[in-house]
């Protein structure tokens, strides 16, 4: 049994590697910039991607619960691969926006479903309490792969701007056969009508979970930082470009970002054991207030800030999902996690839409410090007012039933 469990986990790690984005990531925003689009359109395009995720999150999460995790994840891989190719074939602003929405649907089919799938995979073959540690290691492998491919991506872009996207599309497509080497777990559809998770039940479960303070305020707190991270990711390439970093240099720099993030991801288990989820999340507001404000002192602090935000993002995601998973039952787990992802995407999309216009007038380097200070201040107020991270109590939903209870 232990040998089988280890084999399953290693195959899961191999699947995670196919989600690497290193080939195109260092040049994804520059590609649009060099196609003649300004920061306002780039912010709108990223907002279209994120709002597309909002539209797709509940259907994709429901599909993961209803017809099976693997099929839903395979659809996501296929859509992402198609969108990468579509981006280099697009010839108009409308076409770019359509491709972004298709790309968003591909990511949405992975978000909540992948989290639920891994949790249930561990529950069946290993130990679900190891979720944060296993996901942290999977993220480490993903980031190391992205680091290696980022260097190649910058070089490929210098040869032909389309190459990074096409090569990354092939990697995403390879994830589909990798998925089917793994066992099917957590499939919502069976021959018994009693076990079918209906749309009405999905909507009801979302409403019930949204009323639980332990869930609602954690998602709200995470959404603030997700909006900040989304804006930073959109405007970091124009900011670095304005400081004179070359395309090949961006590839090398992004490789460094990924390696540092990989090291950070490997510390998830340690942070959970030493600080706990509450202790880790409590540090976010003061840390990001300081590191974003530092850019106002000198643009040289931009790179350390980017290292900090990228490292922190890969740490808090598995901890956030561990926190939510521990408070959800098996039935409808992917739907609720997709609901949480929907809120995070809405926050990030709104931030990009508003931030794009401001960054276009101020410039990306001048804009980022003010964005960081605003979010850090709002997060500090929310932390004091609501205590978003709460301990589990005896009223947590049982994993074998559909009933829910409040905290």
């Amino acid at each position: 049994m232990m040998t089988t469990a280890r084999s399953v986990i290693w195959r899961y790690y191999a699947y995670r590697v196919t989600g690497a984005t290193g080939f195109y990531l260092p040049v994804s925003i520059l590609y649009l910039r060099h196609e003649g689009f300004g920061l306002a359109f780039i912010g709108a395009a990223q907002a279209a991607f994120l709002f597309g995720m909002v539209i797709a999150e509940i259907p994709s999460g429901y599909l993961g619960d209803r017809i099976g995790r693997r099929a839903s994840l395979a659809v996501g891989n296929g859509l992402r691969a198609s969108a990468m190719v579509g981006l280099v074939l697009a010839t108009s602003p409308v076409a770019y926006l359509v491709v972004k929405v298709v790309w968003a649907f591909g990511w949405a089919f992975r978000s909540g479903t992948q989290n639920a799938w891994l949790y249930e995979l561990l529950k069946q073959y290993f130990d679900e309490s190891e979720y944060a540690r296993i996901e942290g290691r999977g993220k480490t492998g993903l980031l190391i792969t992205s680091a290696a491919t980022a260097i190649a991506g910058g070089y490929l872009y210098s040869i032909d701007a389309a190459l990074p996207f096409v090569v990354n599309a092939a990697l995403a497509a390879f994830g589909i056969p990798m998925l089917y080497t793994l066992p099917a777990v957590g499939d919502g559809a069976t021959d018994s009508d009693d076990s079918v998770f209906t749309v009405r039940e999905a909507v009801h479960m979302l409403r019930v979970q949204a009323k639980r303070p332990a869930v609602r305020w954690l998602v709200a707190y995470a959404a603030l930082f997700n909006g900040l991270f989304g804006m930073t990711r959109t405007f970091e390439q124009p900011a670095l470009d304005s400081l004179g970093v070359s395309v090949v240099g961006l590839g090398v720099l992004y490789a460094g970002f990924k390696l540092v993030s990989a090291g950070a991801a490997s510390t998830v288990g340690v942070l959970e054991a030493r600080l706990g989820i509450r202790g880790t999340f409590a540090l976010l507001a003061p840390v990001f207030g300081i590191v974003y404000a530092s850019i106002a002192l000198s643009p040289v602090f931009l790179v350390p800030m980017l290292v900090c935000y990228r490292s922190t993002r890969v740490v808090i995601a598995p901890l956030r999902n561990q926190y939510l998973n521990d408070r959800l039952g098996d039935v409808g787990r992917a739907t609720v996690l997709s609901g949480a992802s929907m809120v995070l995407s809405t926050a990030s999309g709104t931030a990009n839409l508003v931030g794009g216009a401001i960054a276009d007038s101020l410039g990306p380097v001048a804009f980022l410090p003010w964005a960081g200070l605003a979010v850090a201040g709002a997060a500090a107020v929310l932390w004091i007012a609501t205590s978003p991270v709460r301990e589990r109590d005896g009223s947590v939903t049982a994993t074998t039933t559909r009933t829910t209870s409040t905290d």
Side-chain angles (χ1 to χ4, degrees):
M1 180 66 179
M2 183 58 70
T3 301
T4 301
R6 288 178 178 174
S7 173
V8 167
I9 291 169
W10 278 106
R11 277 179 280 151
Y12 170 76
Y13 290 155
Y15 164 69
R16 286 287 274 141
V17 164
T18 67
T21 57
F23 285 113
Y24 76 82
L25 187 61
V27 296
S28 58
I29 303 300
L30 284 185
Y31 181 82
L32 293 178
R33 194 76 184 271
H34 294 162
E35 288 291 304
F37 296 110
L39 292 180
F41 176 81
I42 291 171
Q46 190 63 10
F49 172 85
L50 293 160
F51 289 139
M53 285 191 68
V54 172
I55 295 170
E57 280 292 357
I58 297 304
S60 65
Y62 173 74
L63 186 64
D65 281 325
R66 183 67 175 84
I67 68 171
R69 317 293 197 218
R70 290 189 309 177
S72 179
L73 291 169
V75 169
N77 276 57
L79 288 175
R80 294 200 311 277
S82 299
M84 290 176 202
V85 175
L87 188 71
V88 299
L89 298 178
T91 57
S92 69
V94 173
Y96 281 118
L97 294 177
V98 170
V99 168
K100 282 288 188 178
V101 172
V102 173
W103 206 327
F105 272 63
W107 279 107
F109 271 88
R110 192 193 74 168
S111 58
T113 299
Q114 179 174 282
N115 295 331
W117 181 54
L118 174 60
Y119 194 83
E120 290 160 12
L121 198 68
L122 293 175
K123 186 175 182 179
Q124 181 171 333
Y125 289 92
F126 199 63
D127 179 358
E128 68 271 23
S129 68
E130 293 289 297
Y131 173 90
R133 184 177 66 85
I134 298 298
E135 172 59 9
R137 289 184 175 182
K139 188 72 172 180
T140 300
L142 174 67
L143 290 168
I144 290 173
T145 304
S146 291
T149 55
I151 297 174
Y155 177 72
L156 290 172
Y157 187 87
S158 67
I159 298 173
D160 187 324
L163 279 177
F165 300 94
V166 174
V167 174
N168 221 136
L171 180 62
F174 182 67
I176 297 175
M178 281 300 306
L179 271 170
Y180 286 91
T181 69
L182 287 157
V185 294
D187 290 358
T190 69
D191 293 334
S192 170
D193 290 338
D194 291 338
S195 66
V196 173
F197 188 61
T198 67
V199 174
R200 179 176 295 181
E201 287 178 313
V203 173
H204 173 70
M205 180 166 290
L206 285 171
R207 288 175 177 172
V208 170
Q209 295 297 335
K211 292 178 181 178
R212 297 174 62 194
V215 173
R216 178 174 69 245
W217 293 121
L218 181 280
V219 173
Y221 185 76
L224 286 172
F225 290 98
N226 207 64
L228 178 62
F229 295 164
M231 280 193 298
T232 304
R233 183 171 182 175
T234 299
F235 303 125
E236 65 186 4
Q237 288 177 26
L240 290 166
D241 188 43
S242 70
L243 296 179
V245 180
S246 68
V247 174
V248 175
L250 279 175
V252 175
L253 192 58
Y254 270 68
F257 290 159
K258 294 296 184 181
L259 288 175
V260 171
S261 296
S266 67
T267 68
V268 170
V270 175
L271 285 172
E272 186 180 21
R274 298 283 180 85
L275 297 178
I277 295 176
R278 179 176 174 81
T280 303
F281 274 64
L283 293 174
L284 296 182
V287 168
F288 281 103
I290 293 170
V291 297
Y292 274 78
S294 68
I295 306 172
L297 300 177
S298 172
V300 73
F301 290 112
L302 176 64
V303 172
M305 182 276 286
L306 295 178
V307 170
C308 180
Y309 111 80
R310 287 178 170 276
S311 301
T312 306
R313 187 178 63 180
V314 302
V315 168
I316 66 173
L319 292 177
R320 180 190 68 229
N321 290 329
Q322 177 80 64
Y323 177 90
L324 292 173
N325 268 307
D326 287 344
R327 287 156 179 79
L328 301 174
D330 288 346
V331 176
R333 185 188 304 278
T335 299
V336 176
L337 290 175
S338 285
S341 293
M342 181 178 68
V343 175
L344 300 181
S345 296
T346 299
S348 191
T350 302
N352 272 280
L353 198 59
V354 175
I358 301 174
D360 213 18
S361 59
L362 293 180
V365 177
F367 167 70
L368 288 173
W370 294 108
L373 284 171
V375 169
V381 171
L382 186 65
W383 185 272
I384 294 170
T386 69
S387 297
V389 181
R390 306 182 182 204
E391 298 298 329
R392 292 182 65 179
D393 60 26
S395 63
V396 176
T397 304
T399 58
T400 58
T401 69
R402 297 188 187 188
T403 60
T404 55
S405 58
T406 58
D407 291 86

